[in-house]
Amino acid sequence: MSRTLRVRQSQTVLPFGVGAVFDIQGESFVATGIGDWPQKAKQRVESPRLAGRLGVTGFYAAPPTANDRFDTPDAPGAPYIRFPSWLFCGACRRMKRWRIADEKPGQPPRCPSCSPGRTLAPMRFVQICAAGHLSDVDWWFWAHSRREAGERRQCGEREKLRFLVSERASGLEALSVTCTAKGCGASRDLLDILGTHGMRCSGRNPWQRVSEATECVMPVQIVQRTAGNLYYPVVHSALDIPESDAPASQGDEELAGRVREHDLWVSLCRVAGTPRADVLRTMIQEDTGADDQLLDALLVEETGQPLPIASSDLATAPAHPDLSREEWAAFTAPTPPATRDFALRETTLGLGQETAEPWAGLDRRIGRIVLADRLREVRALSGFSRVSPDAALVPADTARRLNWLPAVEVFGEGILLTLDKDELAAWEGHPGVGRRVAGMRADFDRSFQKERLRALTGEELSPRFVLLHTLAHLLIRQLSFESGYTTASLRERVYARPEHDQYGILVYTAAGDAEGTLGGLVQQGEPPRLAETLLRMTEAAAWCSADPLCAEHTGQGFGNLNRAACHACALLPETSCETGNTLLDRALVVGGEQVPGYLESIVTAARSAAVDALEEM
């Protein structure tokens, strides 16, 4: 029976983008580089701001997937190839090296030795290296690895293998690969298959031709094909915002003035766009603290033309550019700009007349509320790494001939919530808050994720970032109860860089389909719903089922970058969080031992009000 395998257009960037291995209906495939994409069928995705920051000419999306009724055989789409190529039969246990010539359209691979032909299953293990290469395990070598080199050379058959299961053992020890060549009989179980074994790297990925292979000396690691360290995508996202006429903040003007008055500013303007400019830019940034975005804007203003891209190589572009500055300006402008894909309206919590606690206290601590009835987000995949997130970046175009990136666009809605600037400044100045965040900052500076996370936090981890980031997580979790959205269909954007005078969060729909585009999330932001949601969120955050261990933790999560935050109280699906579920601390929101929470008084007042209500009954 013919079967149809589909990957949705939104999945071609995340989670099944270039280089990713995924299983579907018992078969396993890997996404190829964008150099193999159909040239005429791909769709243009417009995002000039994101393209400028990444140093590319534009973005394209894979052709959309048809459904059962309108499916067309052999229609162009994002290409995927079968991987691993080593398959085995569950009946006769024979292993077969599957090649493209063996493929039959609409049919899964079948065992040539069985009658009727049984469907072949992919081997569970593959090999990777820190240079980003992926290939099959050399199963012939593994079966003969316990023998001397001379004995191995006597076996002339490299594909007569069987994948056997023993009934007298359990776990990986029960699995073995055996050579069935005449007079050989070499065999080895898989007990210690995981890890490094001195095997050589192929120097390429499965979709690359042999001529594209490089000499790779990196150690090879054997992992399961669904292992977490097999694929670390680098995805950038930007909201489609109109040009804002909002004036720059006073801090930005002062910083821009320091840049213009610098001794090297005139020299930088003269050599802008040349290799010599990099040295001058670095010296100016060290002296003034200006970021790349501000320097680029000032150079465009000074020279009157955009900066030329020195090289088409994506490695010359910033690995993790900061895209929050223009978005924050658009959201907080006195008169928000509006387009077809960016529709905003301001509202309140509806607590202006409240004098009783906890409502009055909540109104004092929350600032502006902006509802986004329509948003457009573009997500682009620049590349991926293997083994660890800080390993070598493999570009989406492995041949390095193209200057565009794969991307998708998502339409949705959102709620922007800001904090009161005065209340926030007073809270940040408390010594207990400074001590709490200082410990997190020390772990942050030691983390291998530091460079990636600095694009979100700024040069130094600030208390407001941890506070706002944790608030975003708690709000998303509460909205999943209040509105019916799944946590995976909501996403955060944290605007918390002190140097840009940011102090807010955006919670918006992130699903690639129609969920969340019909006004449901915006409706939750209307008064009085949002105030009630915030109060219930705060009360829920004050207690975790893992307390007191969670609340008193001095370092948990990946790299000890979290404090009072665990799966029971604050963590979200990884696709919903900008930082990968790091830099979270519930104590900064609701308070803890010697740590004042920003909303701690709200929790206390709510509990007191509940006690009074019970006494009156």
Side-chain angles (χ1 to χ4, degrees):
M1 180 178 178
S2 177
R3 90 281 191 244
T4 301
L5 308 178
R6 291 188 178 87
V7 177
R8 291 189 302 172
Q9 185 184 62
S10 61
Q11 294 176 320
T12 59
V13 168
L14 193 73
F16 303 139
V18 175
V21 176
F22 74 103
D23 293 344
I24 180 172
Q25 297 183 22
E27 301 177 61
S28 181
F29 300 86
V30 63
T32 70
I34 60 175
D36 298 322
W37 280 27
Q39 296 299 315
K40 296 183 179 180
K42 61 181 187 293
Q43 300 177 345
R44 180 84 178 183
V45 177
E46 298 293 340
S47 183
R49 186 168 66 94
L50 183 59
R53 295 301 292 160
L54 296 179
V56 297
T57 56
F59 306 101
Y60 287 94
T65 305
N67 57 30
D68 290 328
R69 180 175 298 178
F70 301 102
D71 191 33
T72 303
D74 300 326
Y80 292 77
I81 65 172
R82 191 175 302 282
F83 180 83
S85 59
W86 274 107
L87 312 175
F88 71 92
C89 176
C92 67
R93 309 305 297 183
R94 284 186 173 88
M95 295 175 61
K96 178 173 176 55
R97 186 73 176 267
W98 198 261
R99 294 172 172 82
I100 295 179
D102 299 323
E103 293 286 353
K104 294 182 180 180
Q107 297 293 332
R110 298 191 180 278
C111 178
S113 303
C114 294
S115 181
R118 298 292 189 93
T119 301
L120 297 176
M123 292 296 288
R124 188 190 308 177
F125 302 97
V126 297
Q127 66 180 37
I128 59 176
C129 78
H133 301 134
L134 169 70
S135 61
D136 281 274
V137 176
D138 189 343
W139 292 112
W140 180 89
F141 177 82
W142 180 262
H144 296 77
S145 58
R146 295 278 173 85
R147 296 193 171 187
E148 298 293 335
E151 293 181 279
R152 288 199 296 267
R153 284 193 291 269
Q154 293 177 5
C155 180
E157 299 287 348
R158 297 189 64 90
E159 296 194 9
K160 287 194 173 182
L161 302 174
R162 287 198 178 192
F163 184 47
L164 303 180
V165 181
S166 173
E167 297 180 355
R168 293 178 294 179
S170 61
L172 294 179
E173 189 178 5
L175 306 176
S176 62
V177 177
T178 301
C179 179
T180 60
K182 186 177 181 180
C184 182
S187 179
R188 184 176 178 181
D189 62 46
L190 306 188
L191 178 61
D192 56 346
I193 184 70
L194 299 176
T196 57
H197 299 279
M199 294 186 180
R200 296 183 59 185
C201 179
S202 64
R204 63 189 180 100
N205 279 289
W207 62 88
Q208 294 180 279
R209 297 171 178 82
V210 176
S211 59
E212 297 181 65
T214 60
E215 189 67 27
C216 182
V217 297
M218 300 295 292
V220 165
Q221 293 189 23
I222 297 179
V223 299
Q224 296 194 58
R225 69 172 187 270
T226 55
N229 65 341
L230 186 140
Y231 185 65
Y232 294 98
V234 179
V235 178
H236 309 272
S237 70
L239 298 180
D240 184 11
I241 60 174
E243 293 294 332
S244 175
D245 297 329
S249 65
Q250 183 177 358
D252 292 340
E253 289 294 343
E254 293 176 355
L255 185 57
R258 292 199 299 270
V259 172
R260 295 190 184 98
E261 295 171 1
H262 197 277
D263 295 338
L264 300 178
W265 172 246
V266 176
S267 301
L268 176 60
C269 294
R270 291 174 180 171
V271 299
T274 67
R276 296 175 58 190
D278 295 337
V279 178
L280 299 177
R281 287 174 67 103
T282 301
M283 297 175 68
I284 293 176
Q285 286 178 312
E286 290 177 352
D287 294 341
T288 63
D291 58 10
D292 288 328
Q293 188 173 0
L294 178 59
L295 281 181
D296 289 343
L298 294 177
L299 284 170
V300 171
E301 179 183 336
E302 185 73 24
T303 61
Q305 57 184 1
L307 295 177
I309 300 175
S311 171
S312 61
D313 191 349
L314 293 180
T316 60
H320 303 284
D322 174 34
L323 298 166
S324 67
R325 190 168 177 173
E326 300 96 333
E327 295 173 7
W328 175 253
F331 278 115
T332 58
T335 303
T339 63
R340 178 178 177 273
D341 295 325
F342 192 76
L344 307 181
R345 54 190 172 94
E346 188 172 357
T347 185
T348 66
L349 291 177
L351 304 176
Q353 306 300 321
E354 291 287 346
T355 58
E357 298 292 344
W359 303 110
L362 183 63
D363 191 46
R364 286 195 304 270
R365 285 163 177 77
I366 301 300
R368 193 176 185 187
I369 307 294
V370 177
L371 303 181
D373 292 295
R374 185 170 174 85
L375 291 174
R376 174 179 176 267
E377 182 192 20
V378 174
R379 302 172 190 168
L381 175 71
S382 63
F384 63 90
S385 61
R386 306 197 192 278
V387 179
S388 66
D390 60 338
L393 178 69
V394 180
D397 175 33
T398 49
R400 300 177 183 268
R401 294 191 298 263
L402 305 174
N403 197 27
W404 57 270
L405 293 176
V408 293
E409 57 183 3
V410 179
F411 296 92
E413 55 187 325
I415 303 172
L416 178 83
L417 181 147
T418 69
L419 303 183
D420 184 88
K421 289 182 64 175
D422 296 334
E423 293 283 346
L424 178 61
W427 174 82
E428 284 187 302
H430 194 283
V433 173
R435 288 192 299 269
R436 182 80 171 187
V437 178
M440 298 185 68
R441 191 179 297 123
D443 291 329
F444 176 76
D445 290 337
R446 290 190 295 266
S447 173
F448 67 87
Q449 302 186 76
K450 177 175 62 176
E451 295 304 321
R452 178 181 70 88
L453 295 176
R454 273 184 174 171
L456 303 171
T457 65
E459 287 301 314
E460 186 177 79
L461 180 63
S462 63
R464 70 174 62 186
F465 182 88
V466 183
L467 169 66
L468 286 164
H469 187 209
T470 310
L471 273 175
H473 277 234
L474 298 176
L475 181 57
I476 288 175
R477 290 172 66 96
Q478 189 63 35
L479 284 171
S480 70
F481 294 107
E482 302 286 338
S483 61
Y485 293 106
T486 63
T487 53
S489 67
L490 299 177
R491 202 171 184 183
E492 66 172 11
R493 291 183 91 83
V494 181
Y495 302 102
R497 300 187 65 158
E499 63 270 26
H500 299 332
D501 196 26
Q502 297 174 355
Y503 45 91
I505 56 174
L506 172 68
V507 174
Y508 63 105
T509 53
D513 52 20
E515 182 179 2
T517 61
L518 302 177
L521 182 61
V522 166
Q523 188 178 27
Q524 294 300 316
E526 300 278 2
R529 290 190 180 91
L530 184 58
E532 296 171 351
T533 298
L534 289 173
L535 182 60
R536 282 190 284 267
M537 173 204 76
T538 307
E539 293 175 332
W543 183 84
C544 171
S545 60
D547 282 342
L549 294 178
C550 177
E552 298 175 359
H553 224 298
T554 57
Q556 59 180 322
F558 205 48
N560 290 329
L561 294 181
N562 288 336
R563 293 298 184 263
C566 67
H567 285 284
C569 60
L571 301 192
L572 294 175
E574 297 263 335
T575 54
S576 299
C577 177
E578 291 185 304
T579 68
N581 273 329
T582 60
L583 304 178
L584 298 165
D585 188 2
R586 190 165 42 91
L588 296 181
V589 179
V590 296
E593 185 178 359
Q594 299 179 347
V595 182
Y598 184 77
L599 298 179
E600 184 175 4
S601 63
I602 308 300
V603 178
T604 304
R607 289 172 175 171
S608 299
V611 171
D612 294 341
L614 288 174
E615 291 177 349
E616 293 176 359
M617 293 179 62

